[in-house]
Amino acid sequence: MATKLLALACIRNESYGNLSPRPHYPSMPKYPKGVSAEETANVESSMSKAKAMYAVMGMTCSACAGSVEKAIKRLPGIHDAVVDVLNNRALVLFYPSFVNEETIRETIEDVGFQATLIQDETSDKSTQLCRIGINGMTCTTCSTTVEKALQAIPGVQNVRVALATEAAEVHYDPKILNYNQILAAIEDTGFEATLISTGEDMSKIHLQVDGIRTDHSMRMIENSLQALPGVHGIGVDSGVHKIAISYKPDMTGPRNFMKVIESTGSGRFKARIFPEGGGGRENLKQEEIKQYYRSFLWSLVFTIPVFLTSMVFMYIPGIKHGLDTKIVNMLTIGEIIRWVLSTPVQFIIGRRFYTGSYKALRHGSANMDVLIALGTNTAYFYSVYSVLRAATAPHFEGTDFFETSSMLISFILLGKYLEVLAKGKTSEAIAKLMDLAPETATLLTLDEDGNVISEEEIDSRLIQRNDVIKIIPGAKVASDGYVLWGQSHVNESMITGEARPVAKRKGDTVIGGTVNENGVLHIKATRVGSESALAQIVRLVESAQMAKAPVQKFADRISKYFVPLVIILSFSTWLAWFLAGKFHGYPESWIPSSMDSFQLALQFGISVMVIACPCALGLATPTAVMVGTGVGASQGVLIKGGQALESAHKVNCIVFDKTGTLTVGKPVVVNTKLFKNMVLRDFYELIAATEANSEHPLAKAIVEYAKKFREDEDNPLWPEAHDFISITGHGVKATVHNKETMVGNKSLMLDNNIDIPPDAEEMLAETEGMAQTGILVSIDGELTGVLAISDPLKPGAHEVISILKSMQVRSIVVTGDNWGTAKSIANEVGIEDVIAEAKPEQKAEKVKELQASGYTVAMVGDGINDSPALVAADVGMAIGAGTDIAIEAADIVLMKSNLEDVITAIDLSRKTFSRIRLNYIWALGYNLLGIPVAAGALFPTTGFRLPPWIAGAAMAASSVSVVCCSLLLKYYKRPKKLNNLEIRGIMIE
């Protein structure tokens, strides 16, 4: 028993708060300790933060790390502190004006651990991130070409190019190169490149300046803005008087820029937000859609007459006679009309295919443009040859294929138009997230006493840190922040997927984009622009959609050889049919009356060339991943990329942490038994005074319970505790009101020679049997009472484990808690396999053991001590209410902190991956069936042949069908079995 309680005392629980834990959001504000929340933003905006890394020796468990973290955070001017017990390190973010590195080091040593400052550990950041939009990519060959070109640049560390999102994510060393060189390298490969963002902490705004007459005025404004602290970069477009400003939102903001601009020219200049967001990615996407639409319409203008003259009017006697009228020798009016009309389609409207082919071939690769250019040129130039020969030879009756080239281009343009339309819909999840931010906000001006002086409606993009914003009922919260005044309920489902409205009162945090339901709130903006929760979720989803799933490598490998192989097959088809015709390998009756054997062979060859579609293969995986991750985000399941999505569908074993994962994560006192005559209020006052200095979650539960006996006070002051000692793994002792008080486990009592009566032993056994923890209390050397502390199970935990069993997924509990409590909790939820009293590294080892046994393992946890196991697992799932470290280490974040989302994540990944398989089957099956048919495999037996323009239409339809197949994932519904659990979850407080 002593050993079990000793192990229990070394568990650190990171999940505090109410019984139903509040979800963790990626960017909830953290205030410097020692500075009030209201003053925080002033401190943060006026001073720069510093980082310091310390080596901390002597820590043995997460409770040790907790005590170090607590001590550091008590110092004034500490923004944040993270203590890593596994690597014996502490990372501290602080304000140098309030505290210095030596003070922090001394504080760590005062807690009882040896601390050494690690020099230059964090100051030398050698990696910068930039995101770039790339226009003009058509298939995986294009994206591979760009990727290779970027990887060849010195200083580039990592590159991801996504065909579906038409974007690149580049990690590079800013000391060696800058993003302009990266843009130039992409342009050099033949694609249009647009910078989306640089760095992960930068916001960007586009302003239009009215009143500028000369370039000198623009340069003057640029210099004035450059002098502002926090401005990172300025881009100027003199033609439309536009200024693009990259800045750090914690140091400055757009209203500051406007003031500077308007003061620079003595009131002559006026600044406003550039219309339509300054021509961002969405505008570029819309422009691309319009371009394809215009090109398609223009191609129809020329192609329809070509089609009519070659395939319809030839059956109308009067018109046929006119078209067949000869001008020179055998040259007819119909041939001249078709030549004239198809030429603009081939060289003006189809110019994009020539430029695309040239750029691809220049870099030693071949893409879809090469196939289209070869096919249409073959048809067009053979037709030109036929027309010229007819004009010069008195007896030559040739057939032209002008309708083939023009109709091919028209159908391919239609396909590309439909494809970009469909691809735009795959990223609707991100667009919907970005649309959550309200367009306007009500800015309040307060006096020194906090009274409202004035209200002003502003564009929400002009909100800066420190602003006080008024949120009326039914309005969207305009920015991340905390409540200064008012009470209300806020619907956060659009961010977290949690349907239940969350109560908000003074001091509570709110997230931008959520909806205020009933009361009026005044909130103070703490995180704006790129720092907001919404922006970070969007960035996470965008990054997930950039990441390639391992299965994508299959398409990438095929794409290297696909186009050259198709060209060889096309040439072989033409040669085989041509030679067969020349040497009478088939009856002459097979040859249509309007052509000869050479023309028949040529049609087969062109059909093979244009029916093969590398696009469908390239889009099979990324479009499904895009839709899947977007749907996950809308359900409160953030999936960090294709790798996580692919691994999750194979999961057949899940390792659960206990505290904060299977249980609510908030221990509460459920029973008290006294063995001496004593007033319960006095008893708890002594315990609370003793435990108030402890960081242990059980201590917090006791202090919280003791407050119930002091209901007349909001924050009761406990009596002073003298000679306080924390005995790691055992408990605490101190002298309160001249009484020596000890609170801890059985080992603590035995070590201090305190007798434990049979009644107390019996109660300890009962509590452990009920999955509770027993805490013993002695006063002046005598055992006075026993407390039973329980951490209740999460609603629906048993049902979730049952559903997982039905899905053929094995469940295991791995916890640092004692064996009795762990087994009891496991029995309650229906899990047979239990590992208890496990240290963080032992959790990771258990995961590796299961992997070695052939399992694909998912780890579900919420604390710092779960991070090694989350990283070791095939799929790490972090409970959203957990710690930043756990969320960073995980592959999937469950925003609602609900266990049923584990099932949603696995089910969604299975559905997504089955969609990817279906896409591949369709894309490969289409090519495997289409190429032989186009090559004339059915012609000898059925007389069926595929004209090149129909082959082109089929090729265009294949990529559209793959994208549409992926889009069906948008209608994903989580398993019906979970609906009842959600209803139960709402009913339970």
Side-chain angles (χ1 to χ4, degrees):
M1 177 68 74
T3 310
K4 293 175 186 176
L5 288 171
L6 171 65
L8 176 67
C10 276
I11 299 167
R12 174 170 169 76
N13 186 336
E14 292 297 325
S15 190
Y16 313 134
N18 299 324
L19 193 62
S20 296
R22 194 180 297 277
H24 172 93
Y25 310 113
S27 67
M28 293 313 347
K30 300 176 181 126
Y31 306 118
K33 304 303 172 186
V35 182
S36 68
E38 288 78 3
E39 296 166 348
T40 299
N42 293 322
V43 173
E44 294 187 348
S45 59
S46 61
M47 299 172 195
S48 59
K49 296 185 280 283
K51 285 182 182 177
M53 180 75 84
Y54 297 88
V56 184
M57 306 309 295
M59 296 189 295
T60 57
C61 66
S62 293
C64 303
S67 59
V68 173
E69 191 175 308
K70 178 73 172 179
I72 295 170
K73 286 183 175 179
R74 280 179 179 159
L75 291 170
I78 299 295
H79 179 269
D80 200 7
V82 178
V83 181
D84 181 358
V85 69
L86 298 178
N87 297 307
N88 294 313
R89 290 191 176 190
L91 175 62
V92 186
L93 195 61
F94 65 97
Y95 298 93
S97 302
F98 284 83
V99 68
N100 59 36
E101 293 163 342
E102 183 58 25
T103 306
I104 297 169
R105 190 191 66 77
E106 289 173 357
T107 302
I108 297 171
E109 297 207 332
D110 287 343
V111 182
F113 303 100
Q114 186 183 342
T116 311
L117 179 68
I118 303 173
Q119 295 292 340
D120 299 322
E121 180 72 24
T122 57
S123 59
D124 183 22
K125 283 287 178 187
S126 60
T127 301
Q128 181 80 11
L129 170 76
C130 72
R131 289 175 57 82
I132 297 165
I134 304 172
N135 275 3
M137 295 193 296
T138 56
C139 61
T140 47
T141 308
C142 302
S143 57
T144 306
T145 302
V146 175
E147 209 164 271
K148 284 180 179 175
L150 291 176
Q151 284 169 344
I153 303 172
V156 170
Q157 295 164 348
N158 188 27
V159 180
R160 291 195 297 191
V161 179
L163 173 65
T165 57
E166 294 185 329
E169 210 171 68
V170 186
H171 294 263
Y172 64 97
D173 188 341
K175 295 173 187 172
I176 299 174
L177 78 160
N178 59 41
Y179 62 80
N180 286 320
Q181 291 167 278
I182 296 169
L183 291 172
I186 295 172
E187 298 272 0
D188 189 50
T189 60
F191 300 100
E192 187 184 336
T194 312
L195 183 69
I196 299 167
S197 64
T198 58
E200 295 188 11
D201 59 345
M202 292 293 157
S203 288
K204 193 171 187 177
I205 194 160
H206 300 263
L207 300 178
Q208 185 161 30
V209 185
D210 298 326
I212 290 178
R213 297 185 183 87
T214 63
D215 288 344
H216 173 71
S217 299
M218 189 63 96
R219 281 196 300 274
M220 191 166 63
I221 290 171
E222 188 179 349
N223 292 335
S224 299
L225 289 169
Q226 199 74 61
L228 280 175
V231 172
H232 183 259
I234 297 176
V236 175
D237 186 343
S238 300
V240 290
H241 300 154
K242 183 180 81 174
I243 297 179
I245 307 164
S246 298
Y247 63 96
K248 292 191 174 182
D250 59 339
M251 297 179 72
T252 188
R255 294 207 309 282
N256 292 349
F257 307 147
M258 289 180 166
K259 284 176 187 173
V260 167
I261 291 168
E262 288 167 10
S263 63
T264 300
S266 304
R268 185 168 86 244
F269 306 131
K270 294 291 179 189
R272 55 194 169 90
I273 291 179
F274 194 85
E276 299 179 2
R281 272 174 79 199
E282 193 53 40
N283 292 343
L284 290 172
K285 179 64 71 180
Q286 290 303 318
E287 185 56 36
E288 185 186 16
I289 291 170
K290 285 176 186 174
Q291 279 180 4
Y292 275 116
Y293 182 64
R294 283 196 297 266
S295 297
F296 172 63
L297 287 184
W298 274 110
S299 71
L300 283 185
V301 169
F302 295 99
T303 301
I304 289 172
V306 173
F307 172 76
L308 292 174
T309 57
S310 63
M311 297 189 175
V312 178
F313 293 159
M314 59 185 291
Y315 297 109
I316 303 172
I319 299 175
K320 182 181 186 304
H321 179 72
L323 291 174
D324 287 345
T325 303
K326 295 177 176 57
I327 302 172
V328 180
N329 289 330
M330 302 301 288
L331 179 64
T332 64
I333 290 175
E335 287 174 330
I336 290 290
I337 291 171
R338 287 193 289 274
W339 187 10
V340 170
L341 290 173
S342 64
T343 299
V345 178
Q346 183 70 37
F347 297 107
I348 299 173
I349 297 167
R351 183 170 175 267
R352 66 177 69 241
F353 302 118
Y354 285 98
T355 54
S357 303
Y358 168 71
K359 290 167 183 174
L361 293 170
R362 195 180 67 172
H363 288 87
S365 61
N367 60 8
M368 188 193 77
D369 290 335
V370 174
L371 294 179
I372 295 166
L374 276 173
T376 56
N377 276 322
T378 304
Y380 179 83
F381 284 108
Y382 174 78
S383 301
V384 170
Y385 160 77
S386 180
V387 167
L388 292 176
R389 191 170 170 195
T392 55
H395 304 294
F396 177 79
E397 283 191 26
T399 304
D400 64 85
F401 293 151
F402 286 122
E403 83 286 347
T404 295
S405 67
S406 56
M407 289 175 73
L408 252 177
I409 288 171
S410 296
F411 275 112
I412 288 162
L413 287 172
L414 173 62
K416 292 302 289 181
Y417 168 66
L418 294 173
E419 186 185 314
V420 293
L421 264 183
K423 276 163 66 179
K425 293 185 184 298
T426 60
S427 56
E428 270 185 0
I430 290 180
K432 283 179 181 175
L433 281 170
M434 295 175 83
D435 287 343
L436 289 177
E439 291 184 4
T440 60
T442 304
L443 178 67
L444 300 180
T445 306
L446 308 181
D447 61 17
E448 292 180 0
D449 299 323
N451 300 314
V452 178
I453 301 171
S454 65
E455 294 184 9
E456 179 190 359
E457 191 168 294
I458 62 168
D459 191 305
S460 63
R461 289 170 290 181
L462 296 178
I463 296 174
Q464 297 181 186
R465 182 177 287 199
N466 266 350
D467 285 346
V468 178
I469 309 295
K470 178 182 177 182
I471 315 292
I472 62 172
K476 289 180 180 178
V477 177
S479 165
D480 287 9
Y482 61 90
V483 179
L484 276 181
W485 175 88
Q487 290 188 14
S488 184
H489 284 80
V490 175
N491 184 347
E492 297 181 341
S493 61
M494 58 288 300
I495 301 289
T496 66
E498 176 59 73
R500 176 172 38 178
V502 182
K504 301 290 179 183
R505 60 187 66 185
K506 185 177 180 180
D508 286 343
T509 54
V510 289
I511 318 167
T514 55
V515 178
N516 181 26
E517 294 209 331
N518 36 39
V520 176
L521 295 175
H522 291 179
I523 66 160
K524 191 154 198 170
T526 54
R527 293 182 181 263
V528 295
S530 63
E531 288 189 323
S532 68
L534 193 56
Q536 292 197 26
I537 290 171
V538 167
R539 199 153 57 230
L540 190 150
V541 176
E542 281 184 330
S543 183
Q545 294 182 345
M546 289 287 300
K548 288 183 180 178
V551 71
Q552 176 71 22
K553 291 174 185 172
F554 170 68
D556 290 345
R557 279 197 298 270
I558 291 176
S559 70
K560 288 181 187 176
Y561 312 105
F562 189 88
V563 175
L565 183 64
V566 168
I567 293 170
I568 293 167
L569 283 173
S570 173
F571 181 76
S572 303
T573 300
W574 168 78
L575 190 63
W577 278 102
F578 174 66
L579 293 175
K582 193 171 182 66
F583 295 107
H584 308 291
Y586 57 82
E588 284 191 21
S589 59
W590 286 11
I591 303 171
S593 58
S594 59
M595 61 179 73
D596 58 24
S597 62
F598 175 84
Q599 292 166 337
L600 180 67
L602 190 65
Q603 275 211 345
F604 282 130
I606 294 171
S607 293
V608 169
M609 193 172 292
V610 296
I611 199 168
C613 183
C615 293
L617 273 172
L619 293 169
T621 301
T623 52
V625 169
M626 281 180 75
V627 180
T629 51
V631 167
S634 68
Q635 303 249 358
V637 177
L638 296 182
I639 302 168
K640 297 183 182 177
Q643 171 79 57
L645 206 57
E646 181 168 342
S647 299
H649 94 278
K650 302 174 190 170
V651 166
N652 52 14
C653 178
I654 298 185
V655 174
F656 288 96
D657 174 45
K658 181 183 76 69
T659 309
T661 303
L662 289 173
T663 64
V664 169
K666 171 63 174 80
V668 288
V669 176
V670 291
N671 196 6
T672 309
K673 187 170 184 179
L674 296 179
F675 299 105
K676 301 286 179 188
N677 249 342
M678 193 173 185
V679 178
L680 203 56
R681 177 186 167 118
D682 296 341
F683 173 73
Y684 268 103
E685 187 162 289
L686 291 176
I687 303 174
T690 306
E691 291 280 27
N693 295 306
S694 173
E695 266 301 289
H696 203 283
L698 298 182
K700 286 179 175 291
I702 293 168
V703 173
E704 204 61 38
Y705 187 77
K707 286 180 183 178
K708 294 182 179 179
F709 298 96
R710 303 275 289 270
E711 287 179 352
D712 51 323
E713 302 171 49
D714 288 338
N715 290 302
L717 290 172
W718 304 109
E720 189 174 352
H722 301 280
D723 306 323
F724 174 81
I725 300 172
S726 175
I727 303 144
T728 304
H730 291 68
V732 294
K733 60 181 178 180
T735 304
V736 183
H737 290 325
N738 295 320
K739 292 182 179 179
E740 188 185 59
T741 308
M742 277 191 284
V743 184
N745 57 22
K746 191 174 177 182
S747 302
L748 180 67
M749 302 301 152
L750 295 175
D751 290 347
N752 286 274
N753 299 316
I754 293 168
D755 291 330
I756 301 172
D759 287 357
E761 292 273 16
E762 193 178 314
M763 184 173 175
L764 284 176
E766 280 177 18
T767 56
E768 199 171 287
M770 292 188 291
Q772 297 168 358
T773 302
I775 300 292
L776 300 169
V777 180
S778 81
I779 299 172
D780 287 337
E782 286 187 278
L783 192 77
T784 311
V786 177
L787 316 180
I789 297 179
S790 172
D791 187 4
L793 272 181
K794 280 190 175 172
H798 182 272
E799 289 85 348
V800 167
I801 301 302
S802 176
I803 293 169
L804 285 171
K805 279 182 184 174
S806 69
M807 294 169 69
Q808 310 303 313
V809 177
R810 178 186 176 191
S811 299
I812 298 173
V813 175
V814 178
T815 177
D817 209 339
N818 66 70
W819 279 97
T821 305
K823 282 183 177 176
S824 183
I825 287 285
N827 289 337
E828 211 170 326
V829 296
I831 296 176
E832 296 171 5
D833 301 318
V834 182
I835 307 292
E837 300 176 9
K839 293 177 182 176
E841 59 271 22
Q842 290 171 330
K843 290 185 180 183
E845 284 167 14
K846 180 60 184 175
V847 167
K848 288 172 185 172
E849 279 176 30
L850 290 165
Q851 288 169 329
S853 303
Y855 285 103
T856 301
V857 182
M859 169 70 194
V860 186
D862 75 321
I864 290 174
N865 54 357
D866 299 322
S867 301
L870 287 168
V871 173
D874 297 286
V875 182
M877 297 187 189
I879 293 292
T883 64
D884 285 328
I885 291 177
I887 287 167
E888 191 64 33
D891 302 300
I892 297 174
V893 181
L894 310 178
M895 293 283 285
K896 288 184 282 186
S897 300
N898 289 342
L899 271 183
E900 55 258 36
D901 283 342
V902 173
I903 295 169
T904 303
I906 293 172
D907 185 64
L908 176 60
S909 71
R910 288 180 178 180
K911 294 276 189 352
T912 303
F913 209 75
S914 68
R915 190 68 56 177
I916 290 171
R917 281 202 195 98
L918 192 61
N919 284 347
Y920 272 129
I921 290 168
W922 169 250
L924 284 171
Y926 160 84
N927 283 304
L928 290 173
L929 290 173
I931 291 173
V933 170
L938 301 178
F939 188 65
T941 54
T942 64
F944 177 80
R945 64 188 174 88
L946 207 61
W949 62 273
I950 293 179
M955 184 270 278
S958 69
S959 54
V960 175
S961 61
V962 163
V963 178
C964 291
C965 184
S966 295
L967 279 173
L968 291 174
L969 271 173
K970 285 170 65 179
Y971 304 104
Y972 167 82
K973 300 288 183 192
R974 65 187 206 149
K976 288 181 181 177
K977 296 175 184 176
L978 298 180
N979 293 337
N980 293 333
L981 297 185
E982 186 175 35
I983 293 165
R984 278 187 55 189
I986 289 171
M987 291 166 60
I988 294 174
E989 280 295 329

